[in-house]
Protein backbone atom coordinates (compact mmCIF):
# COMPACT_ATOMS: atom_id res chain seq x y z
CA UNK A 1 0.00 0.00 0.00
CA UNK A 2 1.93 3.02 -1.30
CA UNK A 3 -0.03 5.61 0.67
CA UNK A 4 0.79 3.93 3.98
CA UNK A 5 4.46 3.65 2.99
CA UNK A 6 4.72 7.31 2.06
CA UNK A 7 3.28 8.61 5.34
CA UNK A 8 5.36 6.17 7.38
CA UNK A 9 8.62 7.03 5.66
CA UNK A 10 7.94 10.77 5.60
CA UNK A 11 7.63 10.83 9.38
CA UNK A 12 10.61 8.49 9.73
CA UNK A 13 12.68 10.90 7.64
CA UNK A 14 11.54 13.78 9.85
CA UNK A 15 12.38 12.05 13.13
CA UNK A 16 15.71 10.55 12.05
CA UNK A 17 16.97 13.75 10.39
CA UNK A 18 16.12 15.72 13.52
CA UNK A 19 18.02 13.27 15.73
CA UNK A 20 20.88 13.20 13.23
CA UNK A 21 21.63 16.79 14.25
CA UNK A 22 20.95 16.55 18.00
CA UNK A 23 22.51 13.14 18.79
CA UNK A 24 24.68 13.72 21.86
CA UNK A 25 26.74 10.53 22.08
CA UNK A 26 29.10 8.80 19.68
CA UNK A 27 26.90 5.69 19.52
CA UNK A 28 23.82 7.75 18.67
CA UNK A 29 25.70 9.69 16.00
CA UNK A 30 26.80 6.43 14.34
CA UNK A 31 23.31 4.95 14.65
CA UNK A 32 21.53 7.93 13.07
CA UNK A 33 24.18 8.23 10.36
CA UNK A 34 23.26 4.68 9.31
CA UNK A 35 19.47 4.92 9.77
CA UNK A 36 18.90 8.33 8.15
CA UNK A 37 19.82 7.34 4.56
CA UNK A 38 17.72 4.17 4.93
CA UNK A 39 14.68 6.34 5.69
CA UNK A 40 15.41 8.49 2.61
CA UNK A 41 15.60 5.39 0.45
CA UNK A 42 12.33 4.03 1.85
CA UNK A 43 10.63 7.35 1.17
CA UNK A 44 11.85 7.71 -2.42
CA UNK A 45 11.07 4.10 -3.31
CA UNK A 46 7.46 4.42 -2.16
CA UNK A 47 6.83 5.78 -5.69
CA UNK A 48 3.61 7.65 -5.00
CA UNK A 49 4.23 11.26 -6.17
CA UNK A 50 0.71 12.40 -5.32
CA UNK A 51 1.59 12.16 -1.63
CA UNK A 52 5.39 12.20 -1.79
CA UNK A 53 5.66 15.78 -3.05
CA UNK A 54 3.55 17.53 -0.38
CA UNK A 55 4.86 15.32 2.42
CA UNK A 56 8.42 16.19 1.41
CA UNK A 57 7.62 19.87 1.94
CA UNK A 58 5.92 19.18 5.26
CA UNK A 59 8.80 17.01 6.43
CA UNK A 60 11.36 19.67 5.49
CA UNK A 61 9.31 22.40 7.18
CA UNK A 62 8.98 20.35 10.37
CA UNK A 63 12.69 19.50 10.46
CA UNK A 64 13.57 23.20 10.15
CA UNK A 65 10.95 24.05 12.77
CA UNK A 66 12.19 21.40 15.22
CA UNK A 67 15.84 22.42 14.85
CA UNK A 68 15.01 26.10 15.21
CA UNK A 69 12.95 25.35 18.31
CA UNK A 70 15.68 23.16 19.80
CA UNK A 71 18.73 25.03 18.51
CA UNK A 72 20.35 24.71 21.94
CA UNK A 73 20.27 20.91 21.57
CA UNK A 74 22.07 20.79 18.21
CA UNK A 75 25.39 18.98 18.58
CA UNK A 76 26.34 18.85 14.89
CA UNK A 77 29.65 20.64 14.22
CA UNK A 78 31.72 21.53 11.15
CA UNK A 79 33.98 18.55 11.88
CA UNK A 80 31.04 16.21 11.34
CA UNK A 81 30.44 17.04 7.67
CA UNK A 82 31.80 13.57 6.71
CA UNK A 83 28.63 12.17 8.32
CA UNK A 84 26.52 14.00 5.74
CA UNK A 85 28.80 12.69 2.97
CA UNK A 86 28.29 9.15 4.28
CA UNK A 87 24.51 9.64 4.29
CA UNK A 88 24.59 10.90 0.69
CA UNK A 89 26.86 8.09 -0.48
CA UNK A 90 24.65 5.37 1.02
CA UNK A 91 21.49 7.02 -0.28
CA UNK A 92 22.72 7.78 -3.80
CA UNK A 93 24.48 4.45 -4.32
CA UNK A 94 21.41 2.36 -3.42
CA UNK A 95 19.07 4.70 -5.27
CA UNK A 96 21.28 4.61 -8.38
CA UNK A 97 21.34 0.83 -8.32
CA UNK A 98 17.56 0.73 -8.02
CA UNK A 99 17.03 3.18 -10.89
CA UNK A 100 19.44 1.38 -13.20
CA UNK A 101 18.05 -2.05 -12.46
CA UNK A 102 14.40 -0.95 -12.63
CA UNK A 103 14.54 1.70 -15.34
CA UNK A 104 12.14 -0.09 -17.68
CA UNK A 105 9.60 -0.59 -14.90
CA UNK A 106 9.86 3.05 -13.83
CA UNK A 107 9.23 4.22 -17.39
CA UNK A 108 6.24 1.89 -17.61
CA UNK A 109 4.86 3.27 -14.34
CA UNK A 110 5.25 6.90 -15.39
CA UNK A 111 3.45 6.19 -18.68
CA UNK A 112 0.39 4.79 -16.96
CA UNK A 113 -2.84 6.72 -16.51
CA UNK A 114 -2.30 6.62 -12.74
CA UNK A 115 -0.04 7.75 -11.22
CA UNK A 116 1.97 8.66 -14.28
CA UNK A 117 -0.47 10.85 -16.19
CA UNK A 118 -2.77 12.16 -13.48
CA UNK A 119 -1.98 15.88 -13.32
CA UNK A 120 -3.61 18.45 -11.04
CA UNK A 121 -3.66 22.24 -10.90
CA UNK A 122 -5.55 22.59 -7.61
CA UNK A 123 -8.78 24.59 -7.39
CA UNK A 124 -10.73 21.41 -6.67
CA UNK A 125 -11.67 21.90 -3.04
CA UNK A 126 -15.06 20.87 -1.70
CA UNK A 127 -16.51 22.42 1.46
CA UNK A 128 -16.49 19.07 3.24
CA UNK A 129 -12.73 18.72 2.63
CA UNK A 130 -12.10 21.19 5.46
CA UNK A 131 -13.41 18.65 7.95
CA UNK A 132 -12.99 14.98 8.75
CA UNK A 133 -15.29 12.99 6.48
CA UNK A 134 -17.95 11.68 8.87
CA UNK A 135 -18.06 8.34 7.04
CA UNK A 136 -14.44 7.62 8.01
CA UNK A 137 -15.28 6.03 11.36
CA UNK A 138 -17.68 3.58 9.72
CA UNK A 139 -15.47 2.44 6.84
CA UNK A 140 -13.78 -0.43 8.73
CA UNK A 141 -17.20 -1.93 9.42
CA UNK A 142 -19.38 -1.09 6.42
CA UNK A 143 -18.32 -0.82 2.78
CA UNK A 144 -19.16 2.59 1.37
CA UNK A 145 -21.97 2.73 -1.19
CA UNK A 146 -21.29 5.95 -3.13
CA UNK A 147 -17.50 5.97 -3.55
CA UNK A 148 -14.70 3.65 -2.48
CA UNK A 149 -13.23 3.20 0.96
CA UNK A 150 -9.82 4.53 -0.02
CA UNK A 151 -10.94 7.86 -1.49
CA UNK A 152 -13.52 8.45 1.24
CA UNK A 153 -11.00 7.90 4.03
CA UNK A 154 -9.64 10.99 5.77
CA UNK A 155 -7.63 11.75 8.88
CA UNK A 156 -9.61 12.47 12.03
CA UNK A 157 -8.80 15.96 13.32
CA UNK A 158 -10.31 18.93 15.16
CA UNK A 159 -8.67 21.70 13.13
CA UNK A 160 -11.67 24.12 13.18
CA UNK A 161 -11.72 24.06 16.99
CA UNK A 162 -8.01 24.71 17.39
CA UNK A 163 -7.91 27.31 14.63
CA UNK A 164 -10.47 29.33 16.60
CA UNK A 165 -8.48 28.92 19.84
CA UNK A 166 -5.00 29.27 18.29
CA UNK A 167 -4.57 32.95 19.17
CA UNK A 168 -5.31 32.19 22.83
CA UNK A 169 -2.90 29.25 22.83
CA UNK A 170 -0.17 31.39 21.27
CA UNK A 171 -0.58 34.16 23.87
CA UNK A 172 -0.27 31.74 26.81
CA UNK A 173 2.93 30.01 25.61
CA UNK A 174 5.77 31.20 27.85
CA UNK A 175 8.61 29.81 25.74
CA UNK A 176 8.02 31.39 22.33
CA UNK A 177 10.18 28.73 20.68
CA UNK A 178 7.33 26.35 21.40
CA UNK A 179 5.21 28.38 18.96
CA UNK A 180 7.49 27.57 16.03
CA UNK A 181 6.11 24.10 15.22
CA UNK A 182 2.53 25.33 15.53
CA UNK A 183 3.29 28.19 13.15
CA UNK A 184 4.95 25.82 10.67
CA UNK A 185 1.92 23.53 10.67
CA UNK A 186 -0.56 26.41 10.39
CA UNK A 187 1.34 27.97 7.46
CA UNK A 188 1.46 24.56 5.76
CA UNK A 189 -2.31 24.22 6.20
CA UNK A 190 -2.91 27.68 4.74
CA UNK A 191 -0.80 26.80 1.68
CA UNK A 192 -2.70 23.54 1.24
CA UNK A 193 -6.08 25.28 1.56
CA UNK A 194 -5.01 27.98 -0.91
CA UNK A 195 -3.94 25.33 -3.41
CA UNK A 196 -7.20 23.42 -3.04
CA UNK A 197 -9.36 26.55 -3.15
CA UNK A 198 -7.60 28.68 -5.78
CA UNK A 199 -4.66 26.70 -7.17
CA UNK A 200 -1.29 27.88 -8.46
CA UNK A 201 -0.31 29.03 -11.97
CA UNK A 202 0.79 26.21 -14.27
CA UNK A 203 4.46 27.29 -14.31
CA UNK A 204 4.70 27.43 -10.52
CA UNK A 205 2.91 24.08 -10.28
CA UNK A 206 5.55 22.52 -12.51
CA UNK A 207 8.50 24.15 -10.74
CA UNK A 208 7.44 23.08 -7.25
CA UNK A 209 6.04 19.75 -8.54
CA UNK A 210 2.56 20.46 -7.21
CA UNK A 211 1.17 19.29 -10.55
CA UNK A 212 1.51 15.72 -9.25
CA UNK A 213 -0.69 16.38 -6.21
CA UNK A 214 -4.22 15.14 -6.79
CA UNK A 215 -4.99 14.23 -3.17
CA UNK A 216 -4.20 17.43 -1.33
CA UNK A 217 -7.31 16.94 0.82
CA UNK A 218 -5.61 13.86 2.27
CA UNK A 219 -2.38 15.74 2.98
CA UNK A 220 -4.37 18.62 4.44
CA UNK A 221 -6.14 16.17 6.78
CA UNK A 222 -2.78 14.79 7.92
CA UNK A 223 -1.36 18.27 8.58
CA UNK A 224 -4.58 19.24 10.38
CA UNK A 225 -4.18 16.14 12.56
CA UNK A 226 -0.61 17.16 13.45
CA UNK A 227 -1.84 20.67 14.26
CA UNK A 228 -4.57 19.16 16.44
CA UNK A 229 -2.04 17.05 18.35
CA UNK A 230 0.31 20.03 18.77
CA UNK A 231 -2.54 22.15 20.12
CA UNK A 232 -3.64 19.48 22.59
CA UNK A 233 -0.07 18.93 23.79
CA UNK A 234 0.49 22.67 24.24
CA UNK A 235 -2.79 23.20 26.11
CA UNK A 236 -1.87 20.49 28.62
CA UNK A 237 1.78 21.53 28.88
CA UNK A 238 1.01 25.17 29.71
CA UNK A 239 -2.28 24.42 31.50
CA UNK A 240 -4.07 26.90 29.27
CA UNK A 241 -7.52 28.07 30.31
CA UNK A 242 -10.01 29.44 27.79
CA UNK A 243 -12.98 31.71 28.35
CA UNK A 244 -16.24 29.82 28.49
CA UNK A 245 -17.54 31.91 25.60
CA UNK A 246 -14.58 30.89 23.40
CA UNK A 247 -15.16 27.20 24.17
CA UNK A 248 -18.86 27.50 23.36
CA UNK A 249 -18.13 29.31 20.09
CA UNK A 250 -15.51 26.77 19.02
CA UNK A 251 -17.73 23.76 19.73
CA UNK A 252 -20.81 25.41 18.21
CA UNK A 253 -18.88 26.15 15.01
CA UNK A 254 -17.68 22.56 14.93
CA UNK A 255 -21.17 21.08 15.37
CA UNK A 256 -22.89 23.38 12.88
CA UNK A 257 -20.14 22.96 10.31
CA UNK A 258 -20.24 19.18 10.51
CA UNK A 259 -24.01 19.10 10.24
CA UNK A 260 -23.79 21.08 7.01
CA UNK A 261 -21.38 18.56 5.48
CA UNK A 262 -23.82 15.64 5.63
CA UNK A 263 -25.00 14.79 2.14
CA UNK A 264 -27.85 12.69 0.83
CA UNK A 265 -25.32 10.10 -0.35
CA UNK A 266 -23.98 9.78 3.18
CA UNK A 267 -27.48 9.34 4.56
CA UNK A 268 -27.95 6.42 2.18
CA UNK A 269 -24.79 4.91 3.67
CA UNK A 270 -25.64 5.18 7.39
CA UNK A 271 -28.65 6.87 9.09
CA UNK A 272 -28.62 10.45 10.35
CA UNK A 273 -28.53 9.49 14.02
CA UNK A 274 -25.15 7.82 13.49
CA UNK A 275 -23.64 11.07 12.22
CA UNK A 276 -25.24 13.05 15.04
CA UNK A 277 -23.70 10.69 17.60
CA UNK A 278 -20.33 11.12 15.90
CA UNK A 279 -20.62 14.92 15.94
CA UNK A 280 -21.56 14.84 19.63
CA UNK A 281 -18.53 12.61 20.24
CA UNK A 282 -16.21 15.12 18.50
CA UNK A 283 -17.81 17.95 20.48
CA UNK A 284 -17.30 16.17 23.81
CA UNK A 285 -13.70 15.44 22.93
CA UNK A 286 -13.15 19.09 21.99
CA UNK A 287 -14.64 20.22 25.30
CA UNK A 288 -12.47 17.81 27.27
CA UNK A 289 -9.29 18.95 25.52
CA UNK A 290 -10.10 22.67 25.84
CA UNK A 291 -10.89 22.28 29.55
CA UNK A 292 -7.99 19.84 30.12
CA UNK A 293 -10.26 17.11 31.40
CA UNK A 294 -8.95 13.59 31.21
CA UNK A 295 -9.97 12.44 27.71
CA UNK A 296 -11.69 9.19 28.73
CA UNK A 297 -13.29 8.83 25.30
CA UNK A 298 -10.09 9.19 23.27
Amino acid sequence: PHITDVFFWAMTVTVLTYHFFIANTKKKKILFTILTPISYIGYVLALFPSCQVPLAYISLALIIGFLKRDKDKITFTKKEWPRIIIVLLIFLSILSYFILSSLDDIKLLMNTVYPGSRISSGNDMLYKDIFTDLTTLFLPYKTITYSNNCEASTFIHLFPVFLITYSDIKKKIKNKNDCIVGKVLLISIMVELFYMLIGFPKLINEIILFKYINRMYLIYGFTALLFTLWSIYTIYKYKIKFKTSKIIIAIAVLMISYLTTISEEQLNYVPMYAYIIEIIYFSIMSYMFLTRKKPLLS
Side-chain angles (χ1 to χ4, degrees):
H2 295 307
I3 291 181
T4 306
D5 286 346
V6 173
F7 281 98
F8 170 80
W9 286 114
M11 292 301 96
T12 305
V13 165
T14 306
V15 173
L16 292 180
T17 303
Y18 167 72
H19 283 283
F20 178 88
F21 289 101
I22 70 164
N24 53 12
T25 66
K26 187 175 182 180
K27 288 183 179 180
K28 288 182 180 179
K29 290 179 185 292
I30 293 173
L31 177 64
F32 289 114
T33 301
I34 295 172
L35 293 179
T36 300
I38 294 175
S39 68
Y40 293 166
I41 293 164
Y43 181 74
V44 172
L45 298 191
L47 294 178
F48 200 81
S50 177
C51 292
Q52 278 176 303
V53 172
L55 285 175
Y57 283 110
I58 293 173
S59 180
L60 178 61
L62 284 174
I63 290 168
I64 294 172
F66 290 152
L67 293 177
K68 188 175 180 180
R69 181 196 63 188
D70 300 333
K71 56 186 177 182
D72 295 336
K73 295 181 180 180
I74 296 176
T75 59
F76 187 85
T77 63
K78 294 180 180 179
K79 295 180 181 180
E80 296 184 61
W81 275 98
R83 290 177 60 208
I84 291 182
I85 296 174
I86 292 172
V87 169
L88 291 175
L89 285 175
I90 295 174
F91 171 66
L92 293 176
S93 60
I94 295 178
L95 183 62
S96 298
Y97 172 78
F98 169 77
I99 292 175
L100 291 174
S101 61
S102 308
L103 190 58
D104 292 337
D105 295 319
I106 294 174
K107 289 180 178 179
L108 182 64
L109 176 67
M110 298 314 295
N111 287 324
T112 57
V113 174
Y114 180 77
S117 300
R118 183 178 288 188
I119 305 298
S120 174
S121 58
N123 190 24
D124 56 358
M125 181 179 180
L126 300 175
Y127 171 71
K128 68 180 184 64
D129 293 336
I130 301 175
F131 312 96
T132 297
D133 192 319
L134 292 174
T135 60
T136 296
L137 289 182
F138 305 107
L139 294 176
Y141 315 103
K142 182 178 174 65
T143 301
I144 200 166
T145 55
Y146 59 89
S147 179
N148 64 68
N149 285 32
C150 180
E151 292 188 357
S153 298
T154 58
F155 287 93
I156 298 173
H157 61 83
L158 299 171
F159 174 67
V161 169
F162 294 111
L163 177 63
I164 293 172
T165 56
Y166 174 72
S167 59
D168 295 282
I169 295 173
K170 186 179 176 182
K171 289 177 184 177
K172 300 294 176 64
I173 295 178
K174 297 176 182 178
N175 181 359
K176 295 307 175 182
N177 283 337
D178 284 348
C179 290
I180 293 174
V181 174
K183 288 179 180 178
V184 166
L185 291 170
L186 189 57
I187 291 172
S188 299
I189 289 172
M190 293 301 110
V191 172
E192 292 161 1
L193 288 174
F194 183 88
Y195 178 77
M196 291 192 294
L197 183 63
I198 300 175
F200 295 145
K202 182 178 179 181
L203 180 60
I204 294 178
N205 260 354
E206 292 181 354
I207 293 174
I208 63 177
L209 303 180
F210 267 38
K211 68 176 184 178
Y212 293 114
I213 306 174
N214 53 63
R215 293 194 181 187
M216 184 62 91
Y217 70 90
L218 185 63
I219 305 301
Y220 157 76
F222 177 67
T223 316
L225 170 62
L226 295 181
F227 183 76
T228 298
L229 294 175
W230 175 85
S231 299
I232 294 170
Y233 168 77
T234 306
I235 289 170
Y236 278 81
K237 178 179 179 180
Y238 286 100
K239 299 180 179 179
I240 298 174
K241 293 182 179 180
F242 300 96
K243 292 181 179 179
T244 303
S245 58
K246 180 60 72 74
I247 295 175
I248 293 174
I249 291 172
I251 294 177
V253 168
L254 181 77
M255 295 183 74
I256 294 170
S257 299
Y258 269 113
L259 283 171
T260 59
T261 66
I262 301 173
S263 66
E264 186 176 342
E265 291 177 327
Q266 289 176 307
L267 292 176
N268 291 329
Y269 174 58
V270 294
M272 185 66 177
Y273 73 82
Y275 294 118
I276 292 177
I277 291 173
E278 186 177 353
I279 293 171
I280 292 173
Y281 170 79
F282 285 154
S283 300
I284 293 174
M285 290 304 299
S286 299
Y287 172 79
M288 296 181 83
F289 288 133
L290 292 176
T291 56
R292 289 186 288 110
K293 305 290 184 183
K294 189 173 181 181
L296 298 176
L297 303 180
S298 61

